[in-house]
Amino acid sequence: MSKRTEQISGTHQRIIDAAVTLHGSVGPARTTIAGIAEKAGVTRLTVYRHFSDDEALFSACSSHWLSQQQLPDPEEWSRHTEPHERLTVGLSDLYRFYRDGDAMLVRIYRDWDSLPQKHRSDLESRNTHFRDVLLEAFPERNRNPRLSATLSHGISFWTWRSLCHDNGLSNDDAVEVMCTLITTAVGVKERPDAPTLENTGARRP
């Protein structure tokens, strides 16, 4: 019984690994059950025995990939109360995550319409939470649609990719550009002693 359980567990993990590999190479839209089965060395029926539908398989794939990443930590951002400082820490953390996970993330966001609805909703909720954590550092008088829009733009994966992947900026330069854009857009002046990346303790890429 123990050996049988081990075999089932091994097959289950091979299917997940195959799905992760294909999602990160050809993208979710081009990943098929047949392709996953072939890469995992099993039949399509075996895949369906382990995962009842595409959503279950995508969920397992997503959870496995995320477990291998250093995820953004908005609780850490919240420790910084000054707006520019929190922006610097938060965007630095996000942009590091985007750079580390670029190969997978670009395909996930490119194939957005192919993702299960639940996972699209989860990603949207996560980004809303990231934006709101950054928003909370700003005075009430500055919390308006312009600030919300520029914050949403700043935390977008595609914003990072345009600045850094497409146009060659370092993460540090991209963070500085976006912090300036966001604070200028709402008239929040940077303090003379505003933190740099070095003295916030944020990690460099």
Side-chain angles (χ1 to χ4, degrees), residues 101-169:
D102 180 44
M104 176 67 79
L105 294 172
V106 70
R107 290 166 176 82
I108 293 296
Y109 284 107
R110 182 196 66 194
D111 293 351
W112 181 261
D113 291 339
S114 298
L115 305 185
Q117 177 59 47
K118 177 184 183 303
H119 295 281
R120 293 201 301 269
S121 297
D122 287 347
L123 286 171
E124 289 170 345
S125 296
R126 184 201 67 179
N127 286 341
T128 297
H129 177 58
F130 289 162
R131 182 202 65 195
D132 289 348
V133 169
L134 297 177
L135 182 65
E136 288 168 359
F138 287 82
E140 287 281 353
R141 65 180 180 277
N142 295 120
R143 298 181 193 176
N144 54 41
R146 178 181 290 187
L147 175 58
S148 181
T150 51
L151 284 173
S152 293
H153 179 69
I155 66 173
S156 168
F157 170 76
W158 292 119
T159 296
W160 169 81
R161 203 162 203 275
S162 175
L163 292 172
C164 296
H165 181 276
D166 298 344
N167 291 289
L169 290 187

Side-chain angles (χ1 to χ4, degrees), residues 10-28:
T11 300
H12 191 85
Q13 188 60 50
R14 286 206 314 277
I15 294 170
I16 293 174
D17 290 341
V20 169
T21 298
L22 290 172
H23 284 176
S25 56
V26 302

Side-chain angles (χ1 to χ4, degrees), residues 6-148:
E6 187 175 321
Q7 289 174 339
I8 292 172
S9 177
T11 300
H12 191 85
Q13 188 60 50
R14 286 206 314 277
I15 294 170
I16 293 174
D17 290 341
V20 169
T21 298
L22 290 172
H23 284 176
S25 56
V26 302
R30 296 181 182 179
T31 296
T32 64
I33 296 298
I36 293 171
E38 180 180 1
K39 193 160 194 66
V42 300
T43 66
R44 291 177 60 188
L45 181 58
T46 299
V47 175
Y48 285 119
R49 282 174 178 161
H50 284 261
F51 300 96
S52 58
D53 53 34
D54 290 343
E55 183 171 326
L57 180 56
F58 190 91
S59 179
C61 173
S62 177
S63 295
H64 182 64
W65 184 80
L66 288 171
S67 73
Q68 298 176 316
Q69 311 305 309
Q70 180 189 341
L71 302 179
D73 185 5
E75 287 189 12
E76 175 59 31
W77 311 352
S78 297
R79 300 178 191 278
H80 304 269
T81 57
E82 194 276 327
H84 193 277
E85 180 177 349
R86 188 177 297 190
L87 275 176
T88 300
V89 172
L91 292 180
S92 296
D93 193 23
L94 270 179
Y95 290 179
R96 170 205 51 77
F97 172 67
Y98 291 159
R99 186 178 291 275
D100 290 347
D102 180 44
M104 176 67 79
L105 294 172
V106 70
R107 290 166 176 82
I108 293 296
Y109 284 107
R110 182 196 66 194
D111 293 351
W112 181 261
D113 291 339
S114 298
L115 305 185
Q117 177 59 47
K118 177 184 183 303
H119 295 281
R120 293 201 301 269
S121 297
D122 287 347
L123 286 171
E124 289 170 345
S125 296
R126 184 201 67 179
N127 286 341
T128 297
H129 177 58
F130 289 162
R131 182 202 65 195
D132 289 348
V133 169
L134 297 177
L135 182 65
E136 288 168 359
F138 287 82
E140 287 281 353
R141 65 180 180 277
N142 295 120
R143 298 181 193 176
N144 54 41
R146 178 181 290 187
L147 175 58
S148 181

